Amino acid sequence: MRHFIVICFALIVIAVQGQAPIRFKVTPEVPPDTADLNYYGKKHFFRAVGEVVGLNMGLWAFDRFVTKGDYAYISLHSIKENFKHGFKWDNDCLGDNMFLHPYHGNLYFNAARSNGYNYWQSGLFAIGGSAMWEMFMECEYPSTNDIIATPIGGMAIGEVMFRASDIVLKDNSTGWERAGREAAAFLISPMRGLTRLLTGDMWKRRRTTGRLFGTPNVAIEMSTGVRWLEFRDKVFDEGLGGTFLINIEYGDRFEVRSSKPYDYFNFSANLNFQKGQPVLGQLNIKGRLIARELLEDKKTYMSIGMYQHFDYYDSDTISDVTNKVPYKFGTPASVGMGVLIRDIDRKYITVDAFAHTNAVILGAVLSDHYKVDQRNYNLASGFSIKAGINMVVKKDKFSLSAEYDYYRLFTWKTYARNTNLNTVDYRTINVQGDKSAAYFAVTNFRASYKLWKRLYLTAMFTMYNRSTHYRDYDNVHSTTTSTRLMLTYKL
């Protein structure tokens, strides 16, 4: 009930009054050249399929002959067994299931995207590549969560990477500039780089830039500093380390005339440099699929749209004081509706706000009891509600933002009571985890003060709340806080 009240309050606030603070300097967008659209927009089916199949075969060969993974010793018998048995929930770690599999799906997706296919069509290639891997390339039963997370999460990561690589590329450049651009684009989107290598576009000099999206409106924030992580359960545990944050806002959030997926998106990632903590601590993508204006005048703007969401939060034990993991959470497959509001009827202050409600097709949340093989979290489905407000004072001299994300996830396919999880066979057990209903809430406050030109002093406070209600165990509540002090540079 307490969290429901907080959600209602947040929605009331935005209704009377969204993302990173508002950008006042909006770079004029330059549309793509027709010649580039005609040249790179041609569909090459067999080349796209060949890259997807080649990717799978290459990865399998690496797993089989270099790392010699047990799962890579496939045969006609293992393929037959996969089809006979069908899909099951697997027991891989959070990083594999909620990030690496979607990243792999991004490679399938961009094999098609770089061969002329659009966002939706490329998603079909991601499904096909994932199905091929699950059914043919492993001697483990195909995974239910992978066939969901890989293509859907791959579409989110893939379109972000494809558009980011498009900004870097410039076909009319030469020399070291061209070499640097091609190398950077290859790192950002390996399958696009591979396609350009195979076709010779990597070194062809053309009259135009070759950019499929022209010159988009992009803002980048990079922050680095210290992070203090605190976990409060029955005892108090804390740790100090370095942190690096990057936030990219692509497109104009207040422009909805274009209805192409990801003409507007927000990408944010947090890297940790702290003993015992995963390097990738957080990754969030919010991509607009389609939107329509509800209201626009000189003072107020409002739009409604459909958005795809990708959220990933990971931590590990801070120290041996409690030897407990503070939180683990992911939603690689989530989509819903969002409302955006802007109020500019003020002399020194500008305010915008947003609210989203989403269906979570697949999610994961830390478990206190299910610890089988590499998995210590429950797989689940449910919904999320997100709301936030941003305020900018004196044209970016000072900015303040607050956001509240609430997730409610349900795990229904579980093991029988009195099952000894220490003795079960992880290769055959087919459950989502503990029978439970959990909420995970992220509350974030951020303040930035301009020090000099594009340099800002930034303070962030984040609270992670988890509450899990188990069928067979006592309920568990935990709170983790993160405090950051950083210098931010805005491009």
Coordinates of all heavy atoms in Angstrom, one line a residue, residues 72 78 84 105 133 143 150 162 165 214 232 286 305 308 311 408 455 471 488:
A72 N 28.5 -27.6 -26.1 CA 28.8 -27.5 -27.5 C 29.0 -28.8 -28.2 O 29.2 -28.8 -29.5 CB 30.0 -26.5 -27.7
S78 N 21.4 -35.1 -30.2 CA 21.1 -34.0 -29.3 C 20.1 -33.0 -29.9 O 19.2 -32.5 -29.2 CB 22.4 -33.2 -29.0 OG 22.9 -32.5 -30.1
K84 N 12.3 -33.1 -29.3 CA 11.4 -34.0 -28.6 C 11.0 -33.4 -27.2 O 9.9 -33.5 -26.8 CB 12.1 -35.3 -28.4 CG 11.2 -36.4 -27.7 CD 12.0 -37.7 -27.6 CE 11.2 -38.7 -26.8 NZ 11.9 -40.0 -26.7
G105 N 21.3 -11.2 -29.4 CA 20.2 -11.0 -30.3 C 20.4 -9.7 -31.1 O 19.9 -9.6 -32.2
W133 N 19.9 -21.3 -32.7 CA 20.8 -21.6 -31.6 C 20.2 -22.6 -30.6 O 20.9 -23.5 -30.2 CB 21.3 -20.3 -30.9 CG 22.3 -20.6 -29.9 CD1 22.1 -20.8 -28.5 CD2 23.7 -20.8 -30.1 NE1 23.3 -21.1 -27.9 CE2 24.3 -21.1 -28.8 CE3 24.6 -20.7 -31.2 CZ2 25.6 -21.3 -28.6 CZ3 25.9 -20.9 -31.0 CH2 26.5 -21.2 -29.7
S143 N 15.9 -23.1 -24.3 CA 15.5 -22.3 -23.1 C 14.3 -21.4 -23.5 O 14.4 -20.6 -24.4 CB 16.7 -21.4 -22.7 OG 16.3 -20.4 -21.8
T150 N 16.3 -13.0 -26.0 CA 17.3 -12.8 -27.1 C 16.8 -11.9 -28.2 O 17.4 -10.9 -28.5 CB 17.8 -14.1 -27.6 OG1 18.4 -14.8 -26.5 CG2 18.9 -13.9 -28.7
F162 N 22.7 0.3 -33.9 CA 22.7 0.6 -35.3 C 22.7 2.1 -35.6 O 23.4 2.7 -36.4 CB 21.5 0.0 -35.9 CG 21.4 0.1 -37.4 CD1 22.3 -0.7 -38.2 CD2 20.5 1.0 -38.1 CE1 22.2 -0.6 -39.6 CE2 20.5 1.1 -39.4 CZ 21.3 0.3 -40.2
S165 N 26.0 3.7 -34.6 CA 27.1 3.5 -35.6 C 26.8 4.4 -36.8 O 27.8 4.8 -37.5 CB 27.1 2.1 -36.0 OG 25.9 1.7 -36.7
G214 N 20.6 10.6 -41.6 CA 21.1 12.0 -41.7 C 21.9 12.4 -40.5 O 22.7 11.6 -39.9
R232 N 21.2 -2.4 3.6 CA 20.6 -2.5 5.0 C 19.6 -3.7 5.0 O 18.6 -3.7 4.4 CB 19.9 -1.2 5.4 CG 19.4 -1.2 6.8 CD 18.7 0.1 7.1 NE 19.6 1.2 7.0 CZ 20.4 1.6 8.0 NH1 20.5 1.0 9.1 NH2 21.2 2.7 7.8
K286 N 15.0 3.2 -23.3 CA 13.6 3.6 -23.4 C 13.5 4.1 -24.9 O 13.9 5.2 -25.2 CB 13.3 4.7 -22.4 CG 11.8 4.9 -22.2 CD 11.6 6.0 -21.1 CE 12.2 5.5 -19.8 NZ 12.1 6.6 -18.8
G305 N 2.5 7.9 -26.5 CA 3.2 7.0 -27.4 C 3.3 5.6 -26.8 O 3.1 5.3 -25.7
Q308 N 9.3 0.9 -26.0 CA 9.9 -0.4 -25.6 C 10.9 -0.1 -24.5 O 11.7 0.9 -24.6 CB 10.7 -1.0 -26.8 CG 11.3 -2.3 -26.5 CD 12.0 -3.0 -27.7 OE1 12.3 -2.3 -28.7 NE2 12.4 -4.2 -27.5
D311 N 15.6 -2.9 -19.1 CA 16.1 -2.5 -17.8 C 17.0 -3.6 -17.2 O 16.6 -4.8 -17.2 CB 15.0 -2.1 -16.8 CG 14.2 -0.9 -17.2 OD1 14.8 0.1 -17.4 OD2 13.0 -1.1 -17.4
R408 N 6.3 -4.9 -10.6 CA 5.6 -5.9 -9.9 C 5.6 -7.2 -10.7 O 5.1 -7.2 -11.8 CB 4.1 -5.5 -9.7 CG 3.3 -6.5 -8.8 CD 3.7 -6.4 -7.4 NE 2.8 -7.2 -6.5 CZ 2.9 -7.4 -5.2 NH1 4.0 -6.9 -4.6 NH2 2.0 -8.0 -4.5
L455 N 30.9 21.7 -18.2 CA 31.3 20.9 -17.0 C 30.4 21.2 -15.8 O 30.1 22.3 -15.5 CB 32.8 21.2 -16.6 CG 33.4 20.4 -15.5 CD1 33.5 18.9 -16.0 CD2 34.7 20.9 -15.1
R471 N 5.4 -18.1 -1.2 CA 4.3 -19.1 -0.8 C 4.8 -20.0 0.4 O 4.1 -20.3 1.3 CB 3.9 -20.0 -2.0 CG 2.8 -21.0 -1.7 CD 2.7 -22.0 -2.8 NE 3.9 -22.9 -2.9 CZ 4.1 -23.8 -3.8 NH1 3.2 -24.0 -4.7 NH2 5.2 -24.5 -3.8
T488 N 30.4 15.9 -14.4 CA 29.7 15.6 -15.6 C 30.1 16.5 -16.8 O 30.1 17.7 -16.6 CB 28.2 15.7 -15.4 OG1 27.8 14.8 -14.4 CG2 27.4 15.4 -16.7

